[in-house]
Amino acid sequence: MAALCESFTLCGLGPSGGVGLGSGLLALEPGPDPDHVLLTDRGRTATLFKVSDQKPLGCWSVKHGQIITCPVVCNFETCEYIAVHDDKVLRIWKNKDLNLDKVFKATLSADVYRIHSLPNGGPVVLFKGGGVRTLDVLLEAPQQEIENVISDEVIKWSQAFMEGQEPVLIFATEKDEDFFVYVQKVKMNSLHKYKLEQQESKPMNFTAYIKNQFITLLCLYSNDAVYKVLIPLQQNAEEEEQILSKSLLLNLSVSGSVLKGTSFIVLDKDHIAVLGSLATSGEESKECLTIWNTKFQTLQTSKELPLGTSGQLWCYEEKFFFTHGKVLTVIMYKCETSSLAAAVGKLKDSRAPDVSTFVNWDTLGDEELLASFQSQQPVPLKSEPKMTLRSRRNTVAKVQQDTLSVGQLLLNLKDASTTVFENELRQLMSKAQMPDIQANIGCVMTAITDRCKANPKYYPQNFLLQIVQTRDLSYSLCPDLMAVALEKKDVHLLQICLQRFPDIPEEIIYACLKLFL
């Protein structure tokens, strides 16, 4: 589940905003404190804001005639700020500095595309030609030659992560309507190039994250869908350019409406936020902020933005930041664990039968039997008289004989007529003293579902309903029952199972909901 919560205005963007953002917002980056954000406008100014107070803490501008050409970032290790103006001029300063003309300056030998600042890895500089340097290495010799990695390609997007102690940079480029992805391990100077497989629609935006030695690259395409691409971090150096295949993650459509997304962000493993225009046939499109559940392919929540946006979306500390009209708006959100079981009230609770209820004692050996009995006794079994254990073994032996007779009966009924088959099963279940009744009822259900699968015309709906409604069953005791009911589209039986079974897998719950809808 996901929800959009309260919202507020961080600052104005027009001339009256008072923070130098009249030229529009270029980027928003995290500040030195979790409650701070660093805004860069499309002109000369960077402003540090305290979010909770909606107050500027500092504002710095380059001289007239100069332009900040990539987002200003914070070096988290030194609490300094780093800016690039006019593509090649690097500036570094602290909070106490007021005049950027008097702070550290270095002119570089190549144009900078973007600086990424990592909390535990320091700043990493990506040049427009695809070369990468850490800030420390760059400052040792600012005029050092920067290699041109990409030829006639234009960088469209980049992102940086930490994989252990290693900074990893990923960026996407475009050339003649082909799109390429580069993965650079900065310290190891390891670079791999990939090509995105072609299709009629084009990628418009990207985001990525690292997990389990894979980069998961998400691509927002012009066909109003989000695709997922997996890129392994471990690659052989001699491997040539590979083509990356993608899989559909999410279609941005709901109830006949399509979201034309412009920006998107991964919130957790099951949720993404998308900013865009929701278009409905015959109606004027409306800009809105949405949260989608990628696991269950559903729109979780949305908020209409009637004053329009710039199409940019940022997210820090469970807060969304975006322009709305002439202000910068902040909306808090919350995401909970994605669970269909929770959605239909099927989370396990104290009323759910204990697993030990369903133990089939006759299948356990002596050691397993001892362990199972121990798990249910308040006093350790070894302290009981040996005669007690011996009597229990005798009881288990008797259970085994009875269970074998049940199994033999079910085997004998395999080819019986429908009338004989059901009558014998009813008589079997009517035995009040039948040992291991739960497991044996499970065997009965398996016999019925096996017959249903073998004979598509056979489906004793009333008999199945009677068993489910009068016996304490679970999904694990009769795993084929709900699959057969789904095939027969037996909505009533499925509803009863959802109410009574404590251990239904989420994929079965999802299949039920799809059938109900």
Side-chain angles (χ1 to χ4, degrees), residues 140-429:
E140 290 175 0
Q143 280 293 305
Q144 63 187 270
E145 183 179 355
I146 304 298
E147 67 278 7
N148 191 14
V149 175
I150 58 178
S151 58
D152 301 325
E153 299 170 30
V154 178
I155 299 178
K156 309 298 287 186
W157 163 88
S158 64
Q159 193 168 333
F161 330 87
M162 290 297 294
E163 174 60 21
Q165 300 298 315
E166 173 72 22
V168 177
L169 188 74
I170 179 173
F171 60 96
T173 67
E174 180 184 12
K175 177 185 177 182
D176 299 331
E177 298 187 349
D178 287 329
F179 287 83
F180 304 91
V181 177
Y182 293 81
V183 176
Q184 169 93 54
K185 291 185 178 179
V186 180
K187 291 182 179 178
M188 297 174 60
N189 198 26
S190 167
L191 179 68
H192 290 278
K193 180 180 180 180
Y194 306 87
K195 183 178 180 181
L196 283 177
E197 64 178 354
Q198 288 182 312
Q199 66 178 58
E200 291 184 6
S201 57
K202 298 179 182 179
M204 302 165 55
N205 211 328
F206 304 86
T207 190
Y209 60 89
I210 285 183
K211 185 178 181 182
N212 298 331
Q213 292 294 306
F214 278 88
I215 295 176
T216 300
L217 175 67
L218 302 185
C219 312
L220 176 61
Y221 271 71
S222 57
N223 64 345
D224 312 313
V226 178
Y227 291 86
K228 179 170 70 172
V229 178
L230 292 179
I231 307 172
L233 275 175
Q234 304 299 330
Q235 289 282 5
N236 295 326
E238 64 271 11
E239 288 186 0
E240 297 182 357
E241 175 186 306
Q242 300 178 43
I243 295 180
L244 294 172
S245 59
K246 58 185 181 295
S247 59
L248 179 64
L249 179 69
L250 178 69
N251 273 316
L252 298 174
S253 60
V254 58
S255 302
S257 299
V258 176
L259 183 68
K260 302 287 185 181
T262 55
S263 297
F264 74 125
I265 291 171
V266 176
L267 303 180
D268 61 23
K269 67 183 182 68
D270 294 328
H271 297 93
I272 64 171
V274 185
L275 183 67
S277 297
L278 195 62
T280 304
S281 179
E283 296 183 14
E284 186 177 350
S285 62
K286 302 173 182 177
E287 287 195 65
C288 56
L289 174 62
T290 60
I291 298 179
W292 299 74
N293 186 309
T294 57
K295 185 175 183 179
F296 303 129
Q297 304 286 296
T298 55
L299 174 62
Q300 294 278 283
T301 186
S302 66
K303 181 177 179 63
E304 189 175 330
L305 306 171
L307 300 179
T309 74
S310 65
Q312 300 160 293
L313 179 65
W314 300 275
C315 179
Y316 299 108
E317 299 294 325
E318 296 188 339
K319 299 179 184 71
F320 294 120
F321 298 82
F322 56 90
T323 62
H324 187 211
K326 294 183 177 181
V327 300
L328 180 62
T329 296
V330 182
I331 295 185
M332 288 179 271
Y333 72 91
K334 61 180 180 179
C335 283
E336 298 175 356
T337 302
S338 177
S339 170
L340 269 176
V344 296
K346 294 306 298 175
L347 286 179
K348 292 183 179 180
D349 56 29
S350 58
R351 295 170 296 175
D354 194 316
V355 173
S356 62
T357 307
F358 305 123
V359 172
N360 194 352
W361 299 106
D362 66 280
T363 64
L364 302 179
D366 282 354
E367 292 181 1
E368 292 168 306
L369 178 66
L370 182 62
S372 298
F373 274 131
Q374 281 178 325
S375 68
Q376 298 186 79
Q377 298 301 311
V379 181
L381 190 59
K382 63 182 180 182
S383 65
E384 299 182 6
K386 291 183 179 179
M387 184 61 71
T388 306
L389 180 57
R390 193 176 301 117
S391 66
R392 281 182 176 165
R393 283 179 175 167
N394 291 338
T395 301
V396 172
K398 184 176 184 303
V399 169
Q400 187 172 9
Q401 293 173 357
D402 292 335
T403 304
L404 285 174
S405 65
V406 171
Q408 187 61 52
L409 173 63
L410 295 176
L411 186 63
N412 295 340
L413 290 174
K414 185 176 180 180
D415 298 319
S417 67
T418 298
T419 302
V420 172
F421 178 74
E422 293 185 11
N423 286 340
E424 289 292 338
L425 294 185
R426 283 190 171 91
Q427 289 183 27
L428 175 63
M429 291 188 297

